[in-house]
Each structure stands twice: as structure tokens, then as C-alpha cells.
Amino acid sequence: MSGIERQVFLDPRHTSKHLPNTPQVLRLLQRGHSAHVFNDEFTMERVAQTIIERGEYTGWIRGYERYGLFFAGSIGYRISPNGSQIPLFYGEIKVDAASRYHVIPRTRPS
């Protein structure tokens, strides 16, 4: 199966956790956690649309239906609490039981 073959809706509650320099990301870093962020909001939207159209189903994991796709260029980065960054090339969409989704930049599939 390629792409998400039903209508899904963006869950905006998770968007700020994956954009650079938001209070949510800064809070994660201050608490000693890493953050996975997209390069910018445009990239996040482009990645989401591409995964919806042609992403690969990766399974039902920890309460979410998941779809993902590797990209040729970096779509974001993982920020460590010490400020170091690792580029990310994999995008994942998590869909809940109510067909709400959010998109995450990752190092690899869950």
C-alpha cells in the first residue's frame, strides 16, 4: 500500500513540538530532552503532503497507524540539549483512531 487512502485531518496540537524555536521545543531542551524539528513550517507541510500521497505503511505502533518516507535531502534536525544537531531525512505521519494526524521528522521508522 502506498499513501494514505482515506481522508485524514491535521491535529494542530502537535505542530509546535516540531518547529524550531517554539516554546514547546525550548521546554523540551530545558528539561534535558532532545527535539525533532522540521527546517520550517513549509517543509513540514510539504513532507506531510508527500507522505499522504505516497508514504509507506509501517504498522500500528503504540496506538497510532504510521506511514513514512525517506527524503533525499534533510527535512529537519534532531537538537540535543547541549545544542548539537543531527540532520533528519525520514518523515513519519502518526494517525489516531479519529483520523487526526501529525507529522514528525525522524532518523528512521519507529
Side-chain angles (χ1 to χ4, degrees):
M1 181 169 123
S2 185
I4 301 174
E5 297 180 354
R6 68 176 194 283
Q7 191 159 15
V8 292
F9 307 92
L10 177 65
D11 187 348
R13 296 177 299 165
H14 301 281
T15 301
S16 297
K17 292 188 291 189
H18 301 294
L19 291 174
N21 302 314
T22 61
Q24 292 82 347
V25 168
L26 297 176
R27 189 176 319 119
L28 278 172
L29 297 172
Q30 289 171 347
R31 292 180 178 171
H33 301 286
S34 297
H36 291 82
V37 298
F38 286 98
N39 293 329
D40 51 42
E41 191 168 2
F42 175 77
T43 302
M44 181 179 72
E45 292 168 359
R46 180 180 53 84
V47 167
Q49 189 59 42
T50 303
I51 295 171
I52 289 169
E53 291 172 0
R54 56 187 180 92
E56 294 297 320
Y57 177 72
T58 58
W60 183 269
I61 305 164
R62 294 185 294 279
Y64 289 93
E65 185 178 348
R66 296 174 189 243
Y67 297 83
L69 194 63
F70 278 101
F71 291 82
S74 173
I75 60 170
Y77 47 96
R78 179 183 183 267
I79 309 170
S80 294
N82 69 6
S84 65
Q85 298 181 3
I86 298 171
L88 302 173
F89 296 87
Y90 186 80
E92 181 177 77
I93 282 185
K94 294 168 56 173
V95 183
D96 68 14
S99 294
R100 295 177 302 222
Y101 76 86
H102 67 281
V103 61
I104 306 164
R106 300 180 52 88
T107 55
R108 58 181 168 72
S110 292

